[in-house]
Amino acid sequence: MRFELMLPHQIRDAIERNLPVLLPLGVLEYHGEHMAVGMDMLAVTRILDRLEQELDIVILPQFAYGAASYAVERPEGAGSVHVGADKILSIAEEIFFSLLRVGFRNIHGFIHHQTENFTAGMPTDLAFKLAGRQAIFRFLETQYGEGWWGSDRMRDYYTQHDEGIDPFNWICVHPLMDEEITQKYPFDHAGMGETSLMMALAPEVVDRDRFGDNSGWYTESAKDASAELGEMGVGLILDRLKELLVRDAT
């Protein structure tokens, strides 16, 4: 279900069923001369399009204005749009806080940009991770007042924490491809791995005739990309998402 298309009774039903609520996160960034600047965003949204056919989920409108940085290419004529993490943080917190006010308790952000070292984090995912934590603290204090954690209602907090059902699991941010997947599928920037993903998910944004126009080292393997390899990656991602979201919904 697409959140923007839902009627209030459908929203209440999703809350009652604790359906996963998914926020696609991405950036607009140069991905070589052969591929669209929205690649990171499209990887998430097109995967969720497929996931929607297999699971009952709520998909929120995408957030595409992340901290792309200009590390790959200057923006002039190349298309990268960078919004600093400090600016994103306040917007992200308001988004998450509002979703908690609506009643959702199974919220997940998914991002593909700069997630090769997700534990340490990069600006966009760190901003959303911090925003999620701050939104939860703010929401709990708004609902229960100061001292909420020390009150009797949280007596079983550590048990909940061990079981993964404490309030700080209401909002989670995940990489689209975790370490287990990247051990099986090439993780790169505009190379064979990402180009193959787009050939499988959004072939209209890959122009094979432009491979020769690339000059960056990171695009050298793009010529070896294939839709078949991309479909393998898509399968790995979908299997992981289904396992993750079914587990968190129980």
Side-chain angles (χ1 to χ4, degrees):
M1 292 182 284
R2 304 297 166 137
F3 183 73
E4 68 271 24
L5 302 178
M6 294 173 71
L7 302 180
H9 75 90
Q10 294 171 313
I11 293 172
R12 291 190 289 270
D13 178 66
I15 293 168
E16 178 66 25
R17 295 165 60 195
N18 196 35
L19 292 184
V21 177
L22 312 185
L23 175 61
L25 303 173
V27 301
L28 301 170
E29 181 186 30
Y30 181 76
H31 277 77
E33 295 296 311
H34 68 285
M35 196 154 57
V37 296
M39 183 275 151
D40 289 329
M41 186 81 265
L42 288 166
V44 179
T45 56
R46 295 295 176 92
I47 287 284
L48 296 187
D49 287 345
R50 296 198 187 189
L51 186 65
E52 188 180 24
Q53 307 305 312
E54 301 186 47
L55 288 183
D56 285 339
I57 54 177
V58 175
I59 302 177
L60 295 163
Q62 65 194 40
F63 183 92
Y65 294 98
S69 88
Y70 302 134
V72 173
E73 185 71 34
R74 294 172 59 88
E76 289 80 7
S80 294
V81 177
H82 174 79
V83 179
D86 57 327
K87 307 300 191 299
I88 297 169
L89 177 59
S90 58
I91 296 172
E93 182 178 336
E94 294 306 315
I95 292 170
F96 285 141
F97 184 76
S98 293
L99 292 171
L100 292 173
R101 285 285 307 271
V102 169
F104 295 128
R105 300 292 184 268
N106 191 7
I107 303 164
H108 301 265
F110 286 98
I111 183 168
H112 180 61
H113 177 66
Q114 295 180 335
T115 56
E116 61 270 23
N117 191 0
F118 195 75
T119 301
M122 285 290 194
T124 303
D125 58 84
L126 285 173
F128 275 91
K129 288 176 186 176
L130 179 55
R133 289 293 182 261
Q134 291 186 165
I136 292 168
F137 270 110
R138 177 179 159 197
F139 178 78
L140 291 169
E141 190 166 309
T142 300
Q143 294 294 303
Y144 304 120
E146 294 178 351
W148 60 268
W149 189 86
S151 68
D152 254 9
R153 71 168 51 88
M154 296 303 293
R155 181 181 294 273
D156 61 348
Y157 170 79
Y158 287 112
T159 301
Q160 292 181 3
H161 185 81
D162 289 341
E163 295 174 354
I165 58 173
D166 67 278
F168 294 101
N169 278 295
W170 290 348
I171 301 172
C172 297
V173 179
H174 313 273
L176 189 66
M177 300 171 66
D178 65 2
E179 289 185 13
E180 184 176 342
I181 292 176
T182 58
Q183 290 174 1
K184 303 174 183 176
Y185 186 86
F187 188 92
D188 55 34
H189 179 82
M192 179 174 64
E194 288 196 336
T195 303
S196 293
L197 274 182
M198 285 299 94
M199 286 179 170
L201 292 168
E204 70 274 18
V205 307
V206 178
D207 187 348
R208 293 174 180 269
D209 293 336
R210 297 284 180 177
F211 285 153
D213 297 336
N214 288 319
S215 58
W217 61 267
Y218 50 89
T219 60
E220 289 175 356
S221 65
K223 65 182 184 304
D224 300 318
S226 69
E228 292 75 20
L229 177 62
E231 286 294 347
M232 185 191 86
V234 170
L236 291 170
I237 295 169
L238 284 173
D239 287 345
R240 173 184 170 252
L241 295 191
K242 286 184 283 189
E243 180 182 356
L244 174 69
L245 296 174
V246 170
R247 180 192 68 205
D248 283 1
T250 58

